[in-house]
Amino acid sequence: MACDSAALRSTVLSMAANHLALQSSDPSLRVQAYRHQRDAIHLLQALIQDPRQAYSESALATVLMMQVSARLFGDDEEANIANHLMGARAMISSRGVDEWLNSSSARFLLSLFAYHDILSSVSRAHRPLFDHDADFEAVEGADDMRGIAEVLLVVARTSQLQHTIKTRQEGGGEIALTEEEDAVGRALQQKLLDMQFDAQRNEPHDNSDISFTAEAYRHAAFIYLYRTWLGVGAPNPISVEHIQSCLAYLARVDVTSPLISSHVWPLFSAGCEAIDPGQRQFVRERFQNMYASKLFPSWNRVMRDVEEVWAAKDDEERMKGQAGAEKVDCG
């Protein structure tokens, strides 16, 4: 697809030049990255002004790769991330989901959009931009990644629950959950309890990494659900159990694994809530090792965010005890 689309090709070249610049410290590569990015923006603008190409797979792929690039190399401002995702949503909606499901490449793009939209809903503290129940069966369309997609659909519903609660409370509603909200929380908890992805002993190494990653996502989803539904985090025992399990599963995947880029969210979710010094040190070292392996600058920024949450938790614990620390979330 990149060979046929100048906009997509320029986006990929910009990402490649950015990454090479980090590896080589060659300033000329940063200039090339900027030029490719500039070209990509101009070419995409021309693409979406053409009625025949505005809602094509290449246009959607370009927007999604720009979103990935912003996540990995940009300043990670959520407004910019949301703009890319809203553009992708408009392209998908214009043709209808059913039409996008007609080809394997389009299904791949839908799954990529779903993955980033759902995780962005967590960081934006807002519901997803799209209902992904009908189009998100497996991450990147890979059958062995169905478990992670299954967990992420629960995460999407948790974000929707958070939006519902927040909207009602901001409108003057009671702080306490309604019966319907509580029922949704219980149903989501049961969905997560019913899932089981732990690797079998005879699984190939790559499949074990996928199973461990799916389990890490499942435990991170529990942490997010309990924060949203019950308003609790560490040191509450209900959260501590899942923090321990999430970090343990992440530790079983080597940092050189191709899956390591997908570990940022579960590591962030469990890491922010960690209060044990050993767990915190693991989180620090894990982010450091991940960065050393892949050289994506956003991961250093994520670790700084985690450190800020830890400082806030520690301050609240000193002033108000464990109940104070429990109230500090990752937001």
Side-chain angles (χ1 to χ4, degrees), residues 141-212:
D143 284 342
D144 52 3
M145 303 282 273
R146 286 179 178 271
I148 298 174
E150 189 178 351
V151 174
L152 285 172
L153 287 174
V154 174
V155 173
R157 293 173 191 137
T158 303
S159 291
Q160 177 63 58
L161 174 62
Q162 181 186 57
H163 175 76
T164 300
I165 295 170
K166 182 179 179 181
T167 301
R168 178 182 56 77
Q169 291 176 345
E170 289 179 348
E174 296 289 333
I175 297 298
L177 297 177
T178 65
E179 290 186 8
E180 183 179 355
E181 290 163 354
D182 187 56
V184 170
R186 292 181 184 279
L188 294 176
Q189 177 184 238
Q190 191 58 52
K191 280 184 175 293
L192 292 172
L193 288 170
D194 291 342
M195 297 176 190
Q196 183 62 46
F197 308 115
D198 202 352
Q200 302 299 315
R201 291 185 179 181
N202 60 352
E203 275 193 315
H205 177 71
D206 288 347
N207 285 349
S208 295
D209 283 356
I210 292 172
S211 298
F212 297 151

Side-chain angles (χ1 to χ4, degrees), residues 63 67 77-89 129:
V63 170
Q67 195 274 339
E77 291 182 4
E78 283 302 328
N80 292 334
I81 301 298
N83 284 340
H84 292 310
L85 292 172
M86 285 189 288
R89 179 187 63 178
L129 298 172

Side-chain angles (χ1 to χ4, degrees), residues 117-135:
D117 183 29
I118 292 170
L119 290 184
S120 177
S121 76
V122 179
S123 56
R124 291 185 296 111
H126 204 278
R127 61 186 173 185
L129 298 172
F130 206 85
D131 181 356
H132 298 286
D133 284 353
D135 63 85

Side-chain angles (χ1 to χ4, degrees), residues 45 57 78 95-96 111 127 141 154 190 304:
Q45 289 172 339
E57 289 184 18
E78 283 302 328
R95 284 175 51 180
S111 74
R127 61 186 173 185
V154 174
Q190 191 58 52
R304 290 195 296 270

